[in-house]
Every structure is written in structure tokens, then in C-alpha cells.
Amino acid sequence: IKEIDKRDIPKSNKIIPKFKFKDCFPSYYKFETSKFQNFVKLLGEVEVNLNKKQDFEFIFNETVYTIAKGGIHSNDKPRIIKPKEDEVLIDADIASQYPSSIIKRELFPRHLGKEWLIGYSEIAKRRNQAKKDKKTSIAESFKLSLNGGGFGKTNEETSWQYDPLVTYFTTIGNQIEILMLIEKLETNGIHCISANTDGIICLFPSRELDKYYRLCKEWESQVGNNILGNLEYCKYDFIVQTSVNDYLAIKSNGDVKLKGDFVIDFELYKNKSNRIIPIALKEYFVNNIPIE
């Protein structure tokens, strides 16, 4: 690649052509049931509005999903989920979802060309190597570079990388892939109880666990995530949540996962007021210590 002076980097074209949701769908998407097919067909004909909130509701097997420009999530009500002795509660997250999607679909800002993608892919390789070498801080730095410094800047109008087509080809395409996974599992007796941007949580009989893993592997091959973007699994013994983004989960190995309202330890710059509340909640649900 020929190096160029930063002053010679092509400027972003702020005039964005009109495009529909279906323009962002991956070429390999496919649905088997009429309910999914009809919903995706209607969604595909909607024109993407960069300046307006757009979300669409989809219900399947009693789980309510919201599909928007930026991501998919289920509309979870406050609840406690504890699998029975003959059930398994398992989370499957897509590793490095945005970078893997950008790389496998060869997305890049139109004014910067494939050279941008080559550089982006190199950072992803370096992050994967740092993870293998257990260099956590370095891997996290590369993660920030990929998600915030690369992908995130494609939707920032003042950035030299600005091209929202990259943003929404990524986010909308990812949602279609997740819907494909949900359909595959649901039509084979695996119930999805929650979904959020890069993963899903399922509750089903333990005897179906091997089938669950097989279906997930089939999906990885179908969408091209068998190299990058593999599913990472985590079994839970217990989940208590107030919404899809606010929950406490006890993993099968005894570790505790805290998100949103349940988080106890914050970044230095965040407000720590009322921290006693998530502390008390954790002690109550994990150690059975009364709130009082």
C-alpha cells in the first residue's frame, strides 16, 4: 500500500444516497418460515432515515423483539429466570461482532477505498493475537480502536471516516443474521427468551444441548462466522433483570455478571451516587442477605 500524507486523505462526501433496509441485508440471508419472511420483506422496503428514530416490532413464540437501525433487542419485562433441574439457560454472544461483519462483508467508506479495510483488518488480527497471548490491556485498546475509532467514526459526520452506509450495512445486516439464528433455533424446539444486539439467551430442556450447539455451528457457517465472529457461550444458573440491559446473572461457574442498574464498580468519570443500591441487590440475590 502506498503511504500518503494525512493532508491528502480523501474528504468524505456528506451527500448520502437514499437507501432502504434491504440494501443493507447480507447477500446470503435466508428465512424458512412465512412469518420471518413476511416481516423481513416489509422491513426491507422501508427507506432508512438518518435523522429519525425507526423501530419495528416483531413477535415470535411470545418473545417480543424490536428491530431498529442500530440493533435488535427483546422487550424484556422485570423478571427472575431460574432453569429447572432438567433445563439449561445459556447465552450465546457473537465475538467482535462489528469488526467481523465489516471484514467478512468487505465494507469500507466509499471515499477511502479498500485501503481502509486493509488497515482495519490488520488491527483486528493484532487484537486476536493479543487475546491469544493474554495481553488483555493491549487487546482492549485494539477493541476500542476497531469499535470506536473505526466503526463508530463511520457515523460521525465530522470524522474523516464518515460514511453511514458502512454503519447501517453493519448494524442492520447483523440484525438479519441474529433473526436467522433465532428462527433456526425456535423452529427446532430451542426457545429464545432474550436478544440484544450481539447475542441471544435461550432456555430449553438439557437433552437438547447437543442439538443447540449443532444448530449454532450451522448458523456460523451459513453467515460466514466460522472464522471471525464465532459464538461464545455462557451458562447461567440464575438471572434477575429489570430490562434487557439491566440484569444480574450468576454463571454456572459461580461468577456474577452485572449490567446496567446492577453494576457496582463504575469508570472513574461516572456518577457513583446511590451505589449502595446495586451492592444491596447483589448481596440479596447472590448471598441471600436481607436488603435491610
Side-chain angles (χ1 to χ4, degrees):
I1 305 171
K2 181 182 178 181
E3 293 187 10
I4 62 173
D5 190 282
K6 65 181 181 180
R7 291 170 295 186
D8 297 326
I9 293 174
K11 297 293 188 294
S12 173
N13 184 356
K14 298 298 192 293
I15 301 175
I16 307 302
K18 292 183 178 180
F19 62 103
K20 295 182 178 181
F21 274 76
K22 67 180 180 181
D23 296 321
C24 306
F25 295 172
S27 59
Y28 46 79
Y29 87 91
K30 184 179 181 182
F31 293 96
E32 304 295 338
T33 62
S34 59
K35 188 160 186 176
F36 278 87
Q37 289 171 346
N38 293 337
F39 171 76
V40 171
K41 184 177 180 179
L42 290 173
L43 175 68
E45 294 302 322
V46 178
E47 186 174 298
V48 175
N49 188 327
L50 301 179
N51 303 308
K52 182 181 177 182
K53 182 179 178 181
Q54 293 174 288
D55 50 42
F56 310 88
E57 187 176 278
F58 177 67
I59 304 173
F60 194 84
N61 199 11
E62 299 183 353
T63 301
V64 182
Y65 303 95
T66 293
I67 286 81
K69 294 196 297 290
I72 183 174
H73 67 82
S74 52
N75 302 337
D76 300 346
K77 296 179 180 179
R79 59 183 174 173
I80 295 175
I81 307 164
K82 185 174 178 60
K84 300 174 184 177
E85 288 188 5
D86 60 346
E87 291 181 330
V88 61
L89 180 63
I90 188 168
D91 187 3
D93 284 333
I94 302 169
S96 302
Q97 185 190 41
Y98 294 152
S100 63
S101 182
I102 287 171
I103 293 168
K104 74 181 181 183
R105 294 180 64 192
E106 298 188 335
L107 304 175
F108 51 85
R110 290 162 296 153
H111 62 290
L112 298 177
K114 279 198 172 183
E115 288 80 2
W116 180 91
L117 181 61
I118 293 171
Y120 190 84
S121 301
E122 181 59 31
I123 296 172
K125 289 179 183 177
R126 294 171 71 181
R127 179 184 182 238
N128 289 337
Q129 188 58 51
K131 287 178 68 177
K132 290 179 181 177
D133 296 340
K134 299 188 184 303
K135 297 179 179 179
T136 306
S137 296
I138 295 175
E140 285 299 305
S141 297
F142 284 135
K143 179 180 178 180
L144 287 171
S145 177
L146 291 164
N147 289 335
F151 166 77
K153 294 297 182 182
T154 63
N155 200 34
E156 190 175 301
E157 198 167 351
T158 57
S159 172
W160 60 277
Q161 300 176 85
Y162 178 67
D163 187 352
L165 290 180
V166 175
T167 310
Y168 295 116
F169 270 61
T170 301
T171 57
I172 294 172
N174 287 342
Q175 294 180 78
I176 294 299
E177 291 182 357
I178 289 177
L179 283 175
M180 289 170 62
L181 177 58
I182 292 170
E183 183 195 48
K184 179 181 284 288
L185 293 171
E186 287 281 7
T187 54
N188 283 279
I190 308 293
H191 182 40
C192 177
I193 63 169
S194 186
N196 191 19
T197 305
D198 63 351
I200 62 173
I201 299 176
C202 294
L203 177 65
F204 54 91
S206 303
R207 64 177 182 275
E208 304 286 7
L209 188 58
D210 287 342
K211 180 170 72 172
Y212 167 82
Y213 286 131
R214 175 177 57 80
L215 293 169
C216 287
K217 287 295 181 185
E218 289 177 3
W219 174 84
E220 286 177 340
S221 297
Q222 188 177 5
V223 302
N225 281 28
N226 45 337
I227 299 175
L228 289 174
N230 297 139
L231 290 171
E232 297 177 339
Y233 306 102
C234 180
K235 292 181 182 178
Y236 296 132
D237 289 340
F238 176 85
I239 293 178
V240 55
Q241 66 178 157
T242 54
S243 77
V244 69
N245 292 313
D246 304 283
Y247 62 89
L248 176 154
I250 301 177
K251 301 179 182 180
S252 295
N253 64 2
D255 291 344
V256 179
K257 182 177 180 180
L258 305 171
K259 296 290 263 184
D261 291 343
F262 291 87
V263 171
I264 293 173
D265 298 314
F266 306 90
E267 290 88 347
L268 289 174
Y269 61 88
K270 289 192 176 181
N271 187 342
K272 298 168 183 59
S273 300
N274 302 317
R275 184 168 173 263
I276 188 60
I277 295 174
I279 291 175
L281 289 171
K282 180 184 177 183
E283 291 300 323
Y284 175 74
F285 286 112
V286 177
N287 298 317
N288 201 31
I289 295 176
I291 293 293
E292 293 78 9

